Amino acid sequence: MSTNDVDVLVVGAGFAGLYSVHRAHNEGWSVVGIDAAPEVGGTWYWNRYPGARCDVESMDYSYSFDEELQSEWRWSERYATQPEILSYIQHVADRFDLRRHYQFETRVTQARFDETASRWVVRTDTGKEYRARFLFLATGSLSAPKIPDIAGFEDFEGEVYMTSSWPATDPDVSGKRVGVIGTGSSGIQCIPILAEQAEQLTVFQRSANFSVPAFNRPVDDDEWEQALADYPERRRLSWAGGAGSPHVSHPGDPLAMNDEERRQVLEEWWQRGGVLFGKTFANQLVDRKINDFARDYAVERIRAIVQDPTVADDLVPTDHPIGTKRICTDSGYFETFNRDNVELVNLRRDPIEMITPWGIQTAQGAHKLDVLVLATGFDAMTGALTRIDIEGPRGDRIADTWGNGPLTYLGMGIPGFPNMFSLSGAGSPSVLANMVLTGEQQVNWLVDLIHYCDEHGHTEVEARLDAAKAWGDHLDEVASATLFVDANSWYMGANIEGKTRGFMPYLGGFATYGALCDEARDQGYAGFVLGS
Ligand code: FAD
Ligand code: NAP
């Protein structure tokens, strides 16, 4: 078999792609990996904006599959920075010699299924063609950047940077007038740092977001030693948990507590920091009244920090229950608006009319800028796949199959596309859980599936349409019982004009999802058509 004709072709060199390549190689299969980036890292290669760091604790947001790797890598902070996470991923690539399988700076543009040979024929922008028995799309749920469609954008004469493809050499913004469009997690992480560097920072906010301080801190040697000793239990809890991390909600019923008791719990979970506050109470994302307890507390914290009450009003989110858009995790975000060199423009009241050669013209004012930063997010969950021209053996095209929302069986198989699997994406807990563990769980499951096919002489495995529809119905049923469907979030596809609305990740929980996958395996993969 030539290096261009392999058992497994993996698109992506992020957490999910690297682990796929590692496992495939260890199973004795020939494997090639492809990534558009010049290096491993995925998210952590591209998103190198100032302040970028994880919002799941690094002890958890790291591979669990190799105990030596786990104990030899020493995290320096509770929430590692982007450079440290990238170094970790590079270390993994070196340690398991994964780079040799990869073609970097290569974008997959097309995939066609050759039925006569049961092989995917994959084409790239470098003109190279590959053939593969199995195609793993580890292309990322948050990897297809969204460029906002704002009139005049091409005319801007200053510097433009996107948080999702920040230059390797940090641009020097000192002495410059900087504008940031976007106040999601990326904007909220970079704004405090840009404010310290720039002469003037203008934040263009369309929707206010909830953000909770990370309470980040260095991990000292004693804490690290203890953490290493606790690792087995920590991982056990993560694998058994709802979000792939060891943390749980408060066991009490907030409706049965008095104000003081409730406040104490909220205070405690606030101090835990970041996204953990979003799950203070078990039913917080289901019951509006319980959600309001957390919401009111968070609003109080914003108002306690922001000195100008009018600015505070603008920074208070009013359009979604807390946690139904990803809670942002910050280090000094709201404090930034107390600085003299920072201005907040509320685009709901004062919309952008156009971008001009000199800056941004809003309905009420002219904002002169030297630098424009776009923290405008992603065509999440589906964008990376639908940007590839994929066609199955019966003429199904992924852009059409997913035209009304992603259709998957267990978040991995897609009807019409045999031997092709999506990883850490739509239909799985992915973005609602610890994505490193989600990737491991799915890859392990797919490796078992390929072995099963080989052992039973099946050369093709394709998700059944009825199984995918049933999985989609289950996804909808679980999501519609929660408050998540009340938010115009990227989980719902609401951030992209014209995109079909529907809750895309699986909300049933990480461990439950794993159990359902195992059940499907134990039932002989009945949700797939297995053939030759
Ligand atoms: P990615 O890391 O996105 O990798 C996908 C790779 O596929 C990319 O390198 C891309 O170049 C490549 N690719 C895509 N399409 C093609 C193509 N057609 N041809 C070739 N290559 C292609 N999750 C958490 O759980 N905790 C966090 O703290 C956290 N922080 C985040 C911070 C930021 C700034 C962002 C954007 C996301 C964050 N996430 C976080 C989500 C994060 O995306 C995942 O945790 C994880 O890193 C995704 O890994 P992945 O392998 O699935 O995909
Ligand atoms: P995002 O959450 O989608 O935020 C994009 C922001 O851009 C929103 O404020 C959005 O406003 C704004 N925007 C988009 N188009 C606009 C336009 N035309 N005009 C004005 N504003 C516009 O994207 P993100 O911040 O990159 O985060 C995406 C996800 O990545 C997060 O939810 C999280 O899962 C992950 N992430 C995690 C971390 C971390 O803390 N570890 C950091 C970064 C990212 P609207 O809300 O009004 O659309």
Side-chain angles (χ1 to χ4, degrees), residues 44 47 49 52-56 142 146 148-150 163 181-189 204-207 209 319 325-329 347-348 352 375-378 431 488 490-491 494-495:
W44 302 101
N47 294 264
Y49 57 84
R53 53 174 81 238
C54 52
D55 63 0
V56 169
L142 294 160
K146 173 195 161 182
D149 183 16
I150 303 176
T163 49
I181 301 181
T183 50
S185 300
S186 303
I188 280 177
Q189 282 189 330
F204 297 91
Q205 171 195 278
R206 190 165 65 186
S207 310
N209 257 312
D319 61 355
K325 283 178 161 186
R326 176 102 175 165
I327 286 199
C328 305
T329 302
L347 298 179
R348 298 256 179 236
I352 294 177
T376 43
F378 302 88
V431 291
N488 286 324
W490 57 256
Y491 299 135
N495 67 327

Side-chain angles (χ1 to χ4, degrees), residues 111 152 489:
S489 63

Side-chain angles (χ1 to χ4, degrees), residues 250-372:
H250 187 275
D253 175 5
L255 297 170
M257 295 175 188
N258 64 34
D259 285 353
E260 200 186 322
E261 287 164 341
R262 238 183 345 253
R263 201 176 167 76
Q264 255 176 21
V265 177
L266 287 162
E267 173 63 25
E268 190 188 330
W269 257 257
W270 183 269
Q271 294 298 332
R272 292 181 183 200
V275 290
L276 299 178
F277 181 75
K279 295 168 197 157
T280 304
F281 297 116
N283 276 341
Q284 191 168 310
L285 290 161
V286 174
D287 184 316
R288 189 70 187 229
K289 197 165 176 202
I290 298 176
N291 191 277
D292 280 345
F293 294 142
R295 192 202 122 74
D296 292 349
Y297 184 85
V299 169
E300 201 183 304
R301 301 304 293 230
I302 298 172
R303 293 196 187 283
I305 297 170
V306 181
Q307 287 157 4
D308 181 334
T310 320
V311 176
D313 280 348
D314 285 342
L315 287 167
V316 168
T318 51
D319 61 355
H320 63 281
I322 187 167
T324 55
K325 283 178 161 186
R326 176 102 175 165
I327 286 199
C328 305
T329 302
D330 73 273
S331 298
Y333 176 65
F334 292 111
E335 290 82 347
T336 302
F337 295 92
N338 295 332
R339 294 175 65 102
D340 291 339
N341 69 334
V342 174
E343 182 191 2
L344 178 68
V345 178
N346 181 340
L347 298 179
R348 298 256 179 236
R349 263 207 321 273
D350 182 13
I352 294 177
E353 288 188 335
M354 65 185 305
I355 297 181
T356 70
W358 44 261
I360 293 184
Q361 177 69 51
T362 61
Q364 292 168 29
H367 303 274
K368 295 200 171 143
L369 302 172
D370 305 305
V371 178
L372 179 57

Side-chain angles (χ1 to χ4, degrees), residues 31-182:
V31 58
V32 70
I34 296 179
D35 201 300
E39 176 47 320
V40 298
T43 290
W44 302 101
Y45 171 82
W46 294 109
N47 294 264
R48 23 179 101 209
Y49 57 84
R53 53 174 81 238
C54 52
D55 63 0
V56 169
E57 287 165 289
S58 298
M59 287 287 294
D60 305 315
Y61 190 62
S62 47
Y63 288 118
S64 73
F65 69 86
D66 187 287
E67 278 187 26
E68 277 183 30
L69 167 69
Q70 188 166 272
S71 54
E72 79 196 4
W73 183 267
R74 165 77 158 89
W75 294 106
S76 69
E77 292 177 80
R78 185 177 177 212
Y79 298 102
T81 58
Q82 172 273 329
E84 189 168 340
I85 302 170
L86 182 59
S87 296
Y88 167 77
I89 300 176
Q90 288 168 332
H91 169 74
V92 173
D94 290 340
R95 194 183 193 287
F96 299 101
D97 200 8
L98 301 178
R99 281 195 186 82
R100 70 190 158 117
H101 301 290
Y102 270 94
Q103 294 292 316
F104 291 108
E105 292 184 272
T106 303
R107 183 167 288 281
V108 169
T109 51
Q110 192 192 67
R112 296 280 182 272
F113 194 72
D114 172 1
E115 236 184 327
T116 56
S118 295
R119 270 180 165 58
W120 280 100
V121 181
V122 173
R123 298 196 174 88
T124 68
D125 63 354
T126 59
K128 250 187 159 177
E129 189 176 292
Y130 299 84
R131 297 170 71 78
R133 286 171 63 207
F134 295 98
L135 180 56
F136 281 23
L137 297 168
T139 45
S141 277
L142 294 160
S143 62
K146 173 195 161 182
I147 301 172
D149 183 16
I150 303 176
F153 181 62
E154 302 300 324
D155 299 332
F156 182 62
E157 286 172 356
E159 302 158 55
V160 179
Y161 303 108
M162 295 192 72
T163 49
S164 53
S165 53
W166 198 261
T169 309
D170 220 9
D172 180 8
V173 300
S174 54
K176 294 181 182 164
R177 296 163 301 181
V178 178
V180 178
I181 301 181

